[in-house]
């Protein structure tokens, strides 16, 4: 008897759920069909709505909708004017005069002034707040205000990538008057920017709702309201786009993207962007011998890896830079040649009885198919006679292991650089004073350190090209692939594709 | 009166016992997290920080001090109500936990309700069909249910009701456009307090799938324990005596069998409620549910030790509170324990 009653209750509950759910789903579909709205399924949240606080590459498109950067990037990653209209890094790299727009207003109606620039990039950093932008602007000593719309950035050391950093991680303009009046904590709760959208609702790790800023100085967005659902699980993002709960989503498994691309009403893209997949190399232990490092590189069939794990869309790389960026060498190819690998090993005295051995570390889930790629590498190396032991590490442990000199000979790694500038590719990866690279060879390190203060653009780029090629040819670095972003959207939703994987609601429209 | 006195005595005793337990757990948590080869100093700085800057941050965070000194400093701050500041979010851990805990409690309580309904109903049905052919089938089904973890249930239910039938929402706590009242942080409660019925119903709809996933995963063990407790209870003389007194089978089951058999099930529910808190981690991620599990996953990914410690302690406190509640219920339901 008890069972009968429970079963009835259960059926009633399920019935209620189904009816109410169906009402809701109709409401959702009606909402999605509205051309004034778009819902995006995004894989991660902002760490805080204070955009200067933390460097999180995936959060940049979210910040860019609410805040503006002094300079911007075009879809093909060229630096373009934004809040700053003119800029010129002086030949010594120690100062940069610039001019700003006079027609920009913050969301609260306050006009943007040179004081806001000085506050964001100098005073706020000096106030002792722990802001990540303090690290990118460590050489900036002052911004001298010459007029309401012109000023000069002054540096303590040549800062050749100052313009690039004005359009990179964390460099967003914040309103001095508002932040000082409400304090940093309140600012992070109720952010005010100059961006194309205003934040109207935010629930951490769940949803961001943005409404068009009708006073925006730039091109007005076509979509009035952008809702960003934070969906961290790739399967749930796949389900959300398939069921129509979101209109666009990114970073779902390649196979799922290919499947959904064939679904009626949806279209899928696999877009290469400015992220490298590479092997961080040591110059000691099993990799002391250059021949072993080069043999390891020649044994990697990068095209096969791309085909197996990224549907062939990930571009095989011979240099630690992505195609189309200033440091890329389009004509340089490092050959896939297993026979040459075997020869190099034989010449160096390695045999089947006495094989060259080393360890490879890889993350599992830090970027798509990372551990699978590592397993494939081990197999490729085995074919040429390299004996490799694979170990899994957490990304958060990488820096600790590297700092303590405990990384194995090779580590599979991915590295983002939305600017495309070679300083942030080869420079960061091989600067011995930075925590990224495992390579501690002084010869390459010294060349990189010189390029960090080289103010002449052409000379700097040529220097990076040369040092990147040298790094590959000495086995200091093994670039593997250019990473890809999968994107699935409703066919009637248009967006502008950026070379650095930015997906911006402000560029979207319905057709 | 006697019952309340006994419960009060138990509460005092359990609270006193909880203090050393919390101290031990906090010490274990602290030590384990510090032994792990993660570098919170590097994680707290931007990628372009130099080695020197990472070293300076290590000193500032006290990571170069001996472990016992680090623990002493942390404990002292804890006694002053300061759990620490998140490395990743740069916010007080207390406020981060405070803003996410209500969502997780709401999820866990309703999921436990689902597990209780399914578990008790299933247990009674298993008992009801004992000795029949249906028993073997039900036995098999309950084992099958038992072998599926909650995250698989999450994906399964999401695909069935979210994608295939498209009848239930599966992202977040509320659909876009619904007002989100903030009074206590418990959305269901807050929407009722503010009289916002549409928000209440919408929030409830969003909870159906995650709660079912968590509840279904827990229910098979409840079913099986209740069934075996009932089988044991029916071996006792008082059941036979009740039958001789002419009581109906239904009355015997409800008033005598179930009342005695429910106690082990209740114990299990207490234990499972603790596990349920842990189980919300993946379920919250799959359903984009903004609770403490979601926060915890972020913290683990970013080696955010202050949050991991704070959340770990919160889980421990939750388990201790649940065990006190269960023990109190035991005293209410079982008079024999009150005599002792």
């Amino acid at each position: 008897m008890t069972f009968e009653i429970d079963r009835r209750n259960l059926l009633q509950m399920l019935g209620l759920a189904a009816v109410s759910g169906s009402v809701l789903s109709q409401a959702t579909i009606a909402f999605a069909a509205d051309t004034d709205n778009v819902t995006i399924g995004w894989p991660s949240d902002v760490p805080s709505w204070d955009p200067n606080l933390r460097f999180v590459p995936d959060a940049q498109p979210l910040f860019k909708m609410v805040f503006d950067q002094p300079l911007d990037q075009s879809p093909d990653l060229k630096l373009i004017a934004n809040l700053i209209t003119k800029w010129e890094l002086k030949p010594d790299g120690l100062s940069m005069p610039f001019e700003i727009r006079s027609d920009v207003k913050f969301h609260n109606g306050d006009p943007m002034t040179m004081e806001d620039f000085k506050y964001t990039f100098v005073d706020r950093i000096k106030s002792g707040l722990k802001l990540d932008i303090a690290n990118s602007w460590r050489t900036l000593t002052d911004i001298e205000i010459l007029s309401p719309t012109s000023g000069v950035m002054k540096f303590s050391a040549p800062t050749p990538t100052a313009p690039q950093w004005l359009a990179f991680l964390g460099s967003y303009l914040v309103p001095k008057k508002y932040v000082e009046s409400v304090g940093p904590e309140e600012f992070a709760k109720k952010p005010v920017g100059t961006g194309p959208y205003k934040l109207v609702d935010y629930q951490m790790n769940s949803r961001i709702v943005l409404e068009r800023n009708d006073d925006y100085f730039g091109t007005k967005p076509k979509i009035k309201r952008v809702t960003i659902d934070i969906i961290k699980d790739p399967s749930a993002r796949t389900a959300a786009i398939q069921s129509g709960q979101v209109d666009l989503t990114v970073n779902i498994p390649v196979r799922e993207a290919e499947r959904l691309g064939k679904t009626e009403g949806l279209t899928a893209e696999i877009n290469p962007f400015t992220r490298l997949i590479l092997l961080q190399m040591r110059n000691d232990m099993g990799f002391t011998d250059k021949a072993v490092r080069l043999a390891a590189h020649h044994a990697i069939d990068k095209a096969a890896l791309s085909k197996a794990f990224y549907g062939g869309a990930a571009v095989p790389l011979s240099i630690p830079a992505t195609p189309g960026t200033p440091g890329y060498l389009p004509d340089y190819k490092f050959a896939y040649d297993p026979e040459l690998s075997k020869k190099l090993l034989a010449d160096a005295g390695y045999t089947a009885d006495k094989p060259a051995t080393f360890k490879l570390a890889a993350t599992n889930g830090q970027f798509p198919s990372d551990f699978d790629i590592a397993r494939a590498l081990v197999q490729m190396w085995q074919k040429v006679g390299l004996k490799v032991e694979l170990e899994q590490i957490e990304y958060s442990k990488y820096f600790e292991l590297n700092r303590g000199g405990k990384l194995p000979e090779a580590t599979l790694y991915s590295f983002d650089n939305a600017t495309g500038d070679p300083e942030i590719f080869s420079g960061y990866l091989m600067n011995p004073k930075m925590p990224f690279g495992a390579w501690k060879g002084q010869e390459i390190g010294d060349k990189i350190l010189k390029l960090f203060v080289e103010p002449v653009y052409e000379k700097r780029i040529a220097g990076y090209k040369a040092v990147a090629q040298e790094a590959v040819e000495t086995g200091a670095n093994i670039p593997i692939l250019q990473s890809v972003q999968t994107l699935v959207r409703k066919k009637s939703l248009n967006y502008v594709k950026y070379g650095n994987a930015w997906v911006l609601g402000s560029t979207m429209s319905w057709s | 009166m006697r019952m309340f006195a006994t419960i009060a005595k138990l509460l005092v005793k359990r609270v006193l016992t909880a203090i050393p337990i919390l101290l031990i757990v906090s010490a274990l948590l602290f030590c384990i997290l510090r032994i792990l080869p993660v570098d919170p100093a590097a994680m707290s700085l931007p990628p372009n920080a130099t080695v020197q800057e990472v070293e300076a941050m290590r000193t500032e965070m006290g990571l170069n001090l001996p472990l016992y000194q680090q623990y002493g400093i942390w404990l002292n701050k804890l006694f002053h109500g300061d759990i620490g500041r998140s490395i990743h979010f740069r916010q007080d851990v207390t406020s981060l936990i405070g803003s996410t805990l209500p969502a997780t409690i709401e999820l866990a309580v309703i999921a436990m309700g689902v597990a209780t309904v399914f578990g008790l109903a299933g247990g009674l049905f298993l008992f009801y069909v004992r000795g029949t052919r249906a028993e073997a089938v039900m036995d098999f089904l309950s084992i099958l249910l038992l072998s599926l973890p909650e995250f698989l249930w999450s994906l399964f239910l999401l695909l069935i009701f979210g994608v295939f039938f498209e009848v239930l929402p599966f992202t977040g706590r509320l659909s876009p456009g619904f007002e989100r009242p903030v009074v206590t942080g418990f959305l269901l409660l807050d929407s009722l307090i503010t009289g916002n019925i549409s928000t209440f119903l919408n929030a409830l709809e969003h909870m159906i799938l995650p709660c079912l996933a968590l509840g279904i995963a827990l229910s098979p063990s409840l079913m099986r324990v209740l069934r075996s407790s009932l089988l044991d209870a029916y071996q006792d003389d008082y059941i036979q005596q009740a039958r001789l007194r002419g009581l109906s089978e239904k009355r015997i089951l409800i008033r005598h069998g179930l009342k005695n058999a429910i106690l082990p099930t209740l114990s299990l529910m207490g234990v499972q409620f603790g596990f349920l808190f842990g189980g919300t981690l993946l379920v919250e991620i799959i359903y984009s549910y903004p609770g403490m599990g979601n926060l915890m996953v972020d913290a683990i990914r970013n080696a955010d030790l202050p949050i991991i410690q704070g959340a770990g302690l919160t889980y421990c406190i939750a388990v201790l509170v649940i065990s006190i509640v269960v023990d109190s219920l035991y005293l209410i339901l079982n008079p024999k324990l009150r005599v002792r």
Side-chain angles (χ1 to χ4, degrees):
Chain A
M1 190 63 186
T2 310
F3 164 70
E4 288 296 323
I5 292 165
D6 280 344
R7 187 178 64 173
R8 196 175 302 136
N9 284 343
L10 174 67
L11 291 172
Q12 282 170 351
M13 277 169 58
L14 286 174
L16 177 72
V19 170
S20 54
S22 111
V23 169
L24 177 88
S25 78
Q26 281 164 16
T28 309
I29 288 161
F31 184 82
D34 184 349
T35 54
D36 264 350
N37 296 285
V38 71
T39 304
I40 301 170
W42 197 251
S44 59
D45 199 357
V46 294
S48 156
W49 274 108
D50 184 334
N52 305 145
L53 200 68
R54 301 285 351 226
F55 289 170
V56 179
D58 285 348
Q60 299 313 303
L62 306 180
F63 286 136
K64 283 187 81 70
M65 286 192 266
V66 178
F67 299 93
D68 267 303
Q69 298 190 282
L71 294 177
D72 205 353
Q73 286 179 273
S74 59
D76 62 354
L77 306 187
K78 296 212 166 47
L79 271 184
I80 53 172
N82 197 36
L83 298 175
I84 288 183
T85 52
K86 283 183 186 168
W87 70 99
E88 187 199 1
L89 186 68
K90 290 290 175 191
D92 59 3
L94 289 168
S95 64
M96 190 170 80
F98 66 100
E99 287 179 21
I100 62 167
R101 296 180 73 109
S102 58
D103 58 347
V104 181
K105 280 184 179 173
F106 287 101
H107 296 156
N108 62 354
D110 288 346
M112 177 195 80
T113 67
M114 281 299 296
E115 289 293 339
D116 298 310
F117 271 83
K118 191 168 183 293
Y119 176 70
T120 302
F121 295 103
V122 182
D123 301 343
R124 209 168 179 231
I125 291 168
K126 284 184 183 166
S127 73
L129 275 173
K130 289 198 186 310
L131 304 170
D132 278 7
I133 58 160
N135 286 70
S136 27
W137 296 105
R138 62 167 75 88
T139 59
L140 180 66
T141 52
D142 193 18
I143 291 181
E144 188 186 342
I145 299 174
L146 303 176
S147 78
T149 56
S150 63
V152 182
M153 291 182 111
K154 295 191 167 177
F155 305 104
S156 59
T159 308
T161 50
Q164 283 73 18
W165 272 98
L166 284 172
F168 196 32
L169 293 169
S171 293
Y172 295 90
L173 199 79
V174 301
K176 178 186 178 188
K177 198 172 149 193
Y178 176 72
V179 179
E180 283 185 339
S181 67
V182 300
E185 304 270 340
E186 191 61 21
F187 169 63
K189 281 182 195 160
K190 290 179 185 167
V192 164
T194 58
Y197 286 96
K198 298 174 185 178
L199 181 74
V200 291
D201 190 24
Y202 172 62
Q203 195 175 12
M204 186 181 164
N205 277 333
S206 181
R207 180 167 293 135
I208 298 165
V209 182
L210 306 172
E211 207 161 80
R212 187 170 56 207
N213 171 16
D214 287 325
D215 293 328
Y216 189 54
F217 67 90
T219 310
K220 305 262 184 313
K222 291 197 173 83
I223 305 274
K224 192 176 176 189
R225 186 175 269 245
V226 177
T227 302
I228 295 141
D229 279 346
I230 308 300
I231 309 174
K232 294 180 184 173
D233 182 63
S235 312
R237 283 199 299 280
T238 307
I241 185 76
Q242 192 172 353
S243 64
Q245 291 200 17
V246 300
D247 305 311
L248 179 151
T249 195
V250 296
N251 292 350
I252 64 170
V254 171
R255 279 178 197 156
E256 290 294 332
E258 287 172 339
R259 179 180 67 81
L260 288 172
K262 292 171 192 155
T263 308
E264 200 187 333
L266 293 178
T267 182
E269 297 165 25
I270 303 172
N271 300 324
F273 71 108
T274 47
R275 178 188 283 171
L276 304 175
I277 298 173
L278 71 150
L279 286 173
Q280 294 276 20
M281 306 288 280
R282 288 186 68 134
N283 54 338
D284 54 2
M285 304 192 300
F287 273 174
T288 308
D289 191 339
K290 179 181 155 188
V292 178
R293 301 195 299 267
L294 292 177
H297 195 169
H298 282 297
I300 300 172
D301 186 349
K302 297 168 188 176
L305 292 175
S306 173
K307 198 174 170 192
F309 302 113
Y310 300 109
V315 180
L317 295 176
S318 293
I319 211 84
T322 54
T325 60
Y328 188 66
L329 291 168
D331 299 327
Y332 177 72
K333 294 279 176 281
F334 192 93
Y336 162 58
D337 190 343
E339 291 309 313
L340 181 57
S341 289
K342 287 177 190 168
K343 186 176 180 305
L344 282 167
L345 291 171
D347 290 350
Y350 295 103
T351 61
D353 295 331
K354 195 195 115 190
T357 61
F358 64 89
K359 283 185 183 172
L360 167 70
T363 50
N364 194 348
Q366 175 66 20
F367 61 92
S369 307
D370 46 1
F371 205 69
D372 294 331
I373 292 175
R375 277 196 288 229
L377 286 174
V378 172
Q379 285 177 0
M380 288 174 184
W381 285 329
Q382 273 172 352
K383 282 184 185 168
V384 297
L386 287 163
K387 197 175 164 192
V388 185
E389 195 181 315
L390 176 61
E391 63 180 69
Q392 189 181 319
I393 58 163
E394 295 298 320
Y395 178 71
S396 51
K397 291 179 192 171
Y398 176 83
F399 294 104
E400 174 75 2
L401 293 171
N402 194 20
R403 197 178 60 83
K406 290 177 186 165
L407 280 176
E409 287 88 342
T411 306
L412 188 67
Y413 194 77
S414 78
F415 196 76
D416 262 47
N417 172 13
T419 69
D421 192 273
E423 178 180 297
I424 302 163
F425 275 141
S426 302
Y428 277 33
L429 287 167
M430 283 174 286
N431 182 336
K433 289 187 176 175
M434 295 188 114
F436 302 106
W439 184 262
K440 304 298 173 200
Q442 205 53 44
E443 207 174 313
I444 286 178
D446 286 343
K447 287 177 185 168
I448 292 281
L449 289 173
K450 277 182 194 158
L451 289 170
F452 262 68
V453 290
E454 173 54 63
V456 181
Y457 182 78
E458 290 74 18
K459 210 171 158 188
R460 187 169 72 85
I461 300 300
Y464 275 117
K465 282 180 176 173
V467 81
Q469 187 171 338
E470 183 186 340
V472 171
E473 287 174 351
T474 53
N477 192 299
I478 299 185
I480 299 177
L481 295 169
Q482 179 182 16
S483 194
V484 295
Q485 179 196 57
T486 52
L487 185 145
V488 183
R489 63 187 159 95
K490 288 184 176 161
K491 264 186 185 150
S492 51
L493 179 67
N494 310 304
Y495 86 109
V496 172
K497 191 198 303 184
Y498 278 78
N500 53 14
W502 287 345
V503 177
L504 304 173
S506 48
T507 69
M508 291 178 189
S509 63
W510 291 98
S511 54
Chain B
M1 272 311 280
R2 183 176 182 154
M3 184 173 77
F4 289 119
T6 318
I7 291 174
K9 221 189 269 179
L10 172 92
L11 279 177
V12 172
K13 199 175 152 191
R14 294 302 298 269
V15 169
L16 288 175
T17 324
I19 293 168
I21 291 175
L22 277 172
L23 277 173
I24 293 167
V25 170
S26 71
L28 279 174
L29 255 173
F30 193 89
C31 294
I32 290 166
L33 291 175
R34 288 303 185 283
I35 290 165
L36 287 176
V38 293
D39 188 357
M43 295 299 283
S44 71
L45 287 168
N48 56 349
T50 61
V51 175
Q52 288 74 22
E53 283 165 338
V54 174
E55 280 308 319
M57 181 54 76
R58 285 181 65 77
T59 310
E60 191 184 321
M61 293 170 83
L63 296 170
N64 50 352
L65 293 173
L67 200 58
Y68 70 90
Q69 270 189 37
Q70 290 184 45
Y71 177 65
I73 293 167
W74 180 73
L75 203 59
N76 184 37
K77 283 184 178 171
L78 186 68
F79 284 138
H80 290 88
D82 177 10
I83 308 179
R85 204 165 165 80
S86 155
I87 291 169
H88 182 64
F89 298 101
R90 306 252 168 96
Q91 284 183 48
D92 284 337
V93 173
T94 320
S95 83
L96 284 167
I97 290 177
S99 63
T100 52
L101 185 61
T104 298
I105 291 178
E106 223 166 39
L107 188 69
V109 167
I110 296 179
M112 198 65 225
V114 172
T116 307
V117 170
F118 283 11
L120 295 188
L124 285 171
F125 186 65
L126 274 172
F127 178 71
Y128 181 75
V129 297
R130 67 190 185 281
T132 67
R133 279 183 192 171
E135 186 183 23
V137 177
M138 286 302 294
D139 230 17
F140 174 77
L141 281 176
S142 69
I143 291 169
L144 190 70
L145 291 181
L146 196 62
S147 59
L148 288 177
E150 58 272 348
F151 73 91
L152 277 183
W153 276 112
S154 300
L155 291 172
F156 180 66
L157 292 170
L158 185 150
L159 289 174
I160 297 291
F161 295 104
V163 179
F164 190 71
F165 290 119
E166 293 186 21
V167 290
L168 285 171
F170 55 85
T171 54
R173 230 175 153 192
L174 216 52
S175 295
F178 280 87
E179 196 189 328
R180 187 161 44 87
V182 182
V183 183
T184 62
F186 294 93
L187 186 57
L188 292 177
L189 187 65
D190 291 352
S191 51
L192 286 179
I193 290 171
T194 55
N196 201 332
I197 300 301
S198 58
T199 296
F200 176 81
L201 288 174
N202 190 266
L204 209 55
E205 279 168 352
H206 280 78
M207 295 188 82
I208 291 173
L209 291 181
C211 288
L212 275 177
L214 285 164
I216 291 174
L218 285 188
S219 59
S221 46
L222 294 180
M223 284 179 203
R224 296 179 69 79
V225 168
L226 181 63
R227 193 263 304 262
S228 59
S229 303
L230 278 169
L231 288 173
D232 285 347
Y234 268 62
Q235 300 298 317
D236 287 343
D237 292 343
Y238 64 85
I239 296 288
Q240 201 55 36
Q241 284 165 8
R243 283 196 179 117
L244 290 173
R245 285 193 348 248
L247 297 180
S248 69
E249 281 300 315
K250 180 189 159 195
R251 195 176 164 87
I252 292 169
L253 177 64
I254 304 290
R255 295 291 298 270
H256 299 281
L258 192 57
K259 200 172 171 185
N260 284 286
I262 199 78
L263 293 173
T265 317
L266 195 65
S267 290
L268 182 66
M269 280 165 64
V271 174
Q272 286 196 328
F273 201 59
F275 286 130
L276 192 69
F277 257 77
T280 59
L281 257 76
L282 285 174
V283 174
E284 284 186 9
I285 288 291
I286 291 169
Y287 289 106
S288 310
Y289 198 82
M292 212 169 77
N294 212 322
L295 178 72
M296 188 73 158
V297 171
D298 273 343
I300 293 167
R301 198 170 284 161
N302 294 297
D304 201 331
L305 301 190
I307 293 186
I308 299 173
Q309 281 160 193
L313 270 185
T314 310
Y315 282 125
C316 178
I317 292 168
V319 170
L320 288 170
V321 169
I322 292 159
S323 74
I324 291 172
V325 171
V326 170
D327 286 352
S328 306
L329 282 174
Y330 240 81
L331 285 176
I332 294 167
L333 290 171
N334 191 348
K336 281 189 273 182
L337 292 174
R338 274 176 254 157
V339 175
R340 271 194 278 156

